[in-house]
Amino acid sequence: LPLPSPLLQDIWPIRTAAGYPNGSFISGCFQHLFSEDAQRLRTMLNSVLASQWWRDNSYRDAPVAVLDVFVHSLIGFGGGYVCQFCNGPHTNVVAAVGCVRGHINV
């Protein structure tokens, strides 16, 4: 696996000054993935960042498994999970979702 990417929120803020999802942040995500996969995840990311639970920073109010789409399972390839934001490997899905949460500050 390639080395994990730096956190994009260190380069671009996740939210605009008005509190909306920042297009520059979103477009910078998933650059290491195939174009179609990256665009699908960017669309989903925009939806997550526009949701009220995210704006309120209330993960407990999020739909069940809403962040799982940002985790890639390596079952069949030796096991484990990969955060789609940074390509970081994890031994379990809880750790991978925790990594995803770190990328979007929730």
Side-chain angles (χ1 to χ4, degrees), residues 21-69:
N22 184 347
S24 294
F25 170 78
I26 293 170
S27 65
C29 292
F30 315 117
Q31 294 290 324
H32 59 285
L33 300 175
F34 291 112
S35 180
E36 292 169 0
D37 294 333
Q39 191 53 46
R40 178 181 54 83
L41 289 173
R42 286 185 197 112
T43 299
M44 293 175 178
L45 177 58
N46 187 64
S47 177
V48 165
L49 298 182
S51 66
Q52 192 62 46
W53 68 264
W54 184 82
R55 293 182 77 183
D56 293 342
N57 198 22
S58 182
Y59 184 61
R60 71 175 184 275
D61 295 330
V64 173
V66 69
L67 300 181
D68 288 2
V69 68

Side-chain angles (χ1 to χ4, degrees), residues 47-105:
S47 177
V48 165
L49 298 182
S51 66
Q52 192 62 46
W53 68 264
W54 184 82
R55 293 182 77 183
D56 293 342
N57 198 22
S58 182
Y59 184 61
R60 71 175 184 275
D61 295 330
V64 173
V66 69
L67 300 181
D68 288 2
V69 68
F70 303 111
V71 173
H72 180 71
S73 171
L74 296 175
I75 294 175
F77 298 97
Y81 300 88
V82 174
C83 170
Q84 295 284 50
F85 282 90
C86 67
N87 213 32
H90 300 277
T91 57
N92 64 68
V93 72
V94 173
V97 170
C99 189
V100 168
R101 290 182 66 185
H103 290 286
I104 60 172
N105 295 339

